């Protein structure tokens, strides 16, 4: 079972960019995809992006064209490059490992987009 630690969140102005990262430790043999989710104030958890082991990606409509997910199998990290950030992107962002069985996610990193 792996552990996941997100980092890179912070405060950014609208239109700005951030790159957040998820560092994984432990076995990844049962993980078939990695994903980013977020939970905004007053809202339920929302799927943002996913990247499969084969490299294909999926994005939520709300971030399509602005966010890019990538994965480094050597460093066991998955990143989310966020461009053209909007106030509605303000949320806690979570890294999630998709497994055959239960998914595993980290503690999250706060991203705040505000003037």
């Amino acid at each position: 079972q792996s552990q996941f630690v997100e980092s890179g969140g912070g405060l950014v102005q609208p239109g700005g960019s951030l790159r957040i990262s998820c560092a994984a430790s432990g076995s990844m043999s049962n993980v078939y995809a990695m994903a980013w989710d977020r939970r905004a104030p007053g809202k339920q958890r929302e799927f943002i992006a996913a990247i499969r082991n084969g490299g294909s990606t999926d994005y939520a409509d709300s971030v399509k064209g602005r966010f890019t997910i990538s994965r480094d199998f050597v460093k066991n990290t998955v990143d989310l490059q966020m461009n053209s950030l909007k106030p509605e992107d303000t949320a806690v962002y979570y890294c999630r490992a998709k497994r055959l069985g239960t998914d595993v996610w980290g503690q999250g990193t706060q991203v705040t987009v505000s003037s």
Side-chain angles (χ1 to χ4, degrees):
Q1 184 170 313
S2 298
Q3 295 180 342
F4 302 92
V5 179
E6 300 93 336
S7 63
L11 176 65
V12 63
Q13 291 185 319
S17 297
L18 277 177
R19 189 179 184 93
I20 57 176
S21 182
C22 171
S25 62
S27 177
M28 299 287 286
S29 61
N30 293 322
V31 175
Y32 64 88
M34 295 293 297
W36 284 96
D37 305 321
R38 70 185 182 189
R39 186 183 297 275
K43 298 183 178 180
Q44 66 181 36
R45 187 171 63 91
E46 174 190 20
F47 165 80
I48 296 300
I51 182 166
R52 301 181 182 88
N53 288 356
S56 61
T57 57
D58 292 306
Y59 295 94
D61 289 341
S62 59
V63 305
K64 197 171 296 181
R66 299 188 297 121
F67 291 10
T68 303
I69 188 171
S70 61
R71 188 174 178 182
D72 188 327
F73 286 91
V74 176
K75 297 190 295 184
N76 280 336
T77 57
V78 57
D79 291 357
L80 186 68
Q81 177 66 45
M82 302 180 289
N83 299 326
S84 302
L85 284 162
K86 306 173 181 179
E88 52 263 42
D89 294 320
T90 296
V92 177
Y93 285 73
Y94 299 91
C95 175
R96 174 165 56 91
K98 302 178 70 174
R99 305 169 68 242
L100 293 176
T102 59
D103 288 359
V104 180
W105 58 90
Q107 82 291 339
T109 185
Q110 175 71 49
V111 173
T112 303
V113 185
S114 176
S115 298

